[in-house]
Amino acid sequence: NDVPTSMKTEDPAGWIKGTDIIAYLRYIYILSPENNQIYKYERMSNRYSTPAEYNVNGDLSGALDMTIDGNIYIVKGGGEIVKLLRGEVRPFTIRYAPEDVLKDITRIYKNLDGNIYFLDPVHARVIVVAEGGTSGESTYIKQYVFEGEQMGELQDLYVDPDESRLYVLDEKRIYKVDLTR
């Protein structure tokens, strides 16, 4: 009813600490690179379950950010992407991309059945990639470069569910890009 509610977990130790958190369906996923794990909590009527370990065989050391669309995509330092499905590593490549285009990315965003967006604060840009489906072969589409003396270091990004607008945040401002043009 649009009222914030405090939610507890059934885990007597409390919530696990992590570097990123995402809600997907009735679950909350917490990224914990120091434990090489993603913890999955199921929402009950008035609390969350104890955490289940999601990652089976992925190397999550150096993980910075994640997004979920059924698959979980994790951004690691140096532009490495780990794609997991049911905790197992799946192939992920990007065709037709400029060399080292993901080298400096720090954030990733994806809507269900949409493109994948990567934030590169070093080059003040957002890189857009078409999702590759079960083949794991995504395709480079384009990039949006942010210029101007007022631009600060890019911090985060968000895309409307219908992919009509891209929002990018720096230290002081939010920038809106119309994606329908």
Side-chain angles (χ1 to χ4, degrees):
N1 296 337
D2 293 329
V3 177
T5 305
S6 176
M7 298 291 282
K8 296 187 182 218
T9 174
E10 291 180 341
D11 188 349
W15 293 96
I16 290 177
K17 288 173 32 173
T19 58
D20 195 15
I21 183 170
I22 296 214
Y24 182 74
L25 302 175
R26 68 178 193 271
Y27 301 97
I28 287 181
Y29 296 81
I30 296 178
L31 175 62
S32 178
E34 62 275 0
N35 296 330
N36 197 50
Q37 197 51 258
I38 296 171
Y39 295 99
K40 179 179 174 181
Y41 293 84
E42 183 176 5
R43 187 178 196 288
M44 319 290 242
S45 61
N46 62 353
R47 67 194 181 289
Y48 280 88
S49 67
T50 56
E53 292 184 347
Y54 180 83
N55 181 35
V56 175
N57 62 348
D59 176 8
L60 305 183
S61 60
L64 303 171
D65 196 28
M66 70 177 171
T67 193
I68 300 175
D69 74 346
N71 295 293
I72 297 181
Y73 300 85
I74 299 105
V75 170
K76 295 176 59 171
E80 183 183 346
I81 307 299
V82 177
K83 178 180 175 182
L84 300 174
L85 178 62
R86 294 183 195 96
E88 300 273 346
V89 173
R90 295 290 181 247
F92 182 81
T93 58
I94 301 174
R95 296 180 302 169
Y96 312 118
E99 190 173 331
D100 292 332
V101 71
L102 300 183
K103 180 177 161 271
D104 297 310
I105 61 170
T106 58
R107 298 276 183 260
I108 184 171
Y109 192 87
K110 183 175 186 320
N111 287 319
L112 188 63
D113 298 325
N115 293 321
I116 305 170
Y117 297 81
F118 298 99
L119 183 72
D120 177 351
V122 172
H123 299 97
R125 65 184 175 178
V126 173
I127 298 123
V128 185
V129 172
E131 199 266 322
T134 56
S135 74
E137 285 194 9
S138 298
T139 305
Y140 172 84
I141 298 174
K142 63 177 123 185
Q143 54 187 291
Y144 295 93
V145 178
F146 295 83
E147 298 176 323
E149 293 179 22
Q150 296 182 11
M151 288 294 304
E153 183 175 337
L154 303 182
Q155 305 287 315
D156 212 344
L157 75 161
Y158 173 80
V159 180
D160 283 343
D162 64 358
E163 292 194 77
S164 60
R165 287 180 211 88
L166 161 69
Y167 299 90
V168 179
L169 172 75
D170 73 7
E171 296 106 332
K172 297 179 184 176
R173 295 174 193 83
I174 298 175
Y175 303 92
K176 178 176 78 170
V177 178
D178 184 357
L179 299 177
T180 57
R181 291 187 202 182

